[in-house]
Structures are given as structure tokens and as C-alpha cells.
Amino acid sequence: ITLHKLMVNGSYRLVPLYSCFLTVVCNISPYWRSMSLVASVKLVNLFELFSSPKFLYSGEKAHRHLALILEVFNNVIQYQYNGNQHLVYAIVRKKDSFGRLASLTLPKAIYQCNKAFPASGDVEYDADVEERAAAMSVKDVDEAGVPVGSPAGGKAAPGDGDDDGTDVSAEPPPPSSA
């Protein structure tokens, strides 16, 4: 119950610890003799959170949380089935969530995310803004706001994908022998 509360209502700073929390729960799960109804429902709610397309495609390693929750379910059902009827009941009640996960595809997930969260612009986190500001200072931009290091003041350089059909080779010319 506390783990659910930390993950759902906790601070954004705790996100890196989710894997640690879930690993601890996974390691003790074969030894759970009896889980309460509330704890079982909260654990299945965490499964629903981690199996949502938005969460799964939010980061490169987000699928690990889902794998750990599924391993917890497997351990409890395999080793302590007799004392954990509440968890089995909670899983059966949420069987549609497991079915959605089984039929999840990338195009379907993208559609569901766009439907639930319409694109009103890219979301920027404070860390991203600070990192970008540290990488680029006022000296690196001219009066028009174009980065100084960009080719031809932001105009397309030959051979970089412009549509005039000239300079198809992407290789530099060979050095001259003088």
C-alpha cells in the first residue's frame, strides 16, 4: 500500500528509485503467505499504471517496471497460491488490462496517447531547459536567433538534403596532391 502511494502520489525525484522498490518487492514476493485485499488491488493498479502505453513509451527502460510487476504476480501465484486468493481475484477482475497489454502495438499505443493527451506542444522539463541553456549561451546566437555555428546563417548547405537536385554526393572531395 505504501509502495503504491509513493509511486502514484510521490515526488518526481523518486522515479529513479522505482526499480529498486520493485526489485525488493519482487525478491520477497515468493514468501508472501497472505496478502490483503487492499494490497492486492493496489498492486494490480500499479500493473495498470505501468502497462499503459503512455508509461511504456515514456522512456527507453520503462518496460522494466512492468516486467518486475509481472514477475511479482508470477512468484506469488506460483509459490504462494493458497494464501493469496485476493491477488488472484484482483487479477481476474482486471483481465481486460492484461488483454490490452497482450494486444498492444506501437501504432495503437501512439494513437491512444494522442487521443488521451492531445499535442498542445512539446513538454519540457526543468532539467531539459537548464541543460539546453547551459549548452548555448547568448554569445552562440546572432541577432536573428540563429546559432552562430550553423552553416550559412541557418540556410541549407549544398548536399544536406535541399531539393534543388545539385550536389548529390555526401562525401567531401579527395585531398589534392600538391
Side-chain angles (χ1 to χ4, degrees):
I1 299 171
T2 304
L3 178 68
H4 179 270
K5 191 169 188 168
L6 279 174
M7 290 186 172
V8 174
N9 299 331
S11 171
Y12 182 71
R13 294 182 207 149
L14 293 176
V15 172
L17 297 176
Y18 287 1
S19 292
C20 295
F21 294 153
L22 290 172
T23 301
V24 169
V25 170
C26 186
N27 286 337
I28 64 171
S29 63
Y31 306 104
W32 281 343
R33 296 201 182 269
S34 177
M35 191 182 312
S36 71
L37 179 62
V38 175
S40 300
V41 169
K42 298 290 184 184
L43 199 59
V44 173
N45 286 346
L46 281 178
F47 166 77
E48 287 182 314
L49 173 74
F50 293 144
S51 66
S52 69
K54 181 182 180 211
F55 185 85
L56 276 176
Y57 292 108
S58 67
E60 188 175 320
K61 298 177 181 178
H63 67 279
R64 290 182 180 177
H65 303 311
L66 180 62
L68 286 169
I69 287 287
L70 289 172
E71 191 172 342
V72 167
F73 292 155
N74 183 46
N75 288 339
V76 170
I77 291 171
Q78 183 177 358
Y79 297 111
Q80 299 294 336
Y81 179 77
N82 290 336
N84 289 300
Q85 64 274 10
H86 295 299
L87 179 64
V88 174
Y89 180 70
I91 290 172
V92 170
R93 285 192 58 202
K94 299 291 185 166
K95 67 181 178 186
D96 293 339
S97 298
F98 289 89
R100 281 192 299 272
L101 179 63
S103 65
L104 182 66
T105 61
L106 181 60
K108 189 187 291 187
I110 291 171
Y111 173 75
Q112 288 175 352
C113 286
N114 289 338
K115 183 178 165 187
F117 304 100
S120 61
D122 291 335
V123 176
E124 289 188 358
Y125 296 104
D126 292 339
D128 296 337
V129 174
E130 291 171 5
E131 183 177 302
R132 198 173 313 118
M136 182 182 289
S137 67
V138 177
K139 297 177 191 175
D140 298 334
V141 181
D142 65 5
E143 300 82 32
V146 178
V148 174
S150 68
K155 297 177 185 162
D160 67 347
D162 55 351
D163 291 332
D164 63 358
T166 60
D167 193 11
V168 263
S169 69
E171 298 179 16
S176 62
S177 58

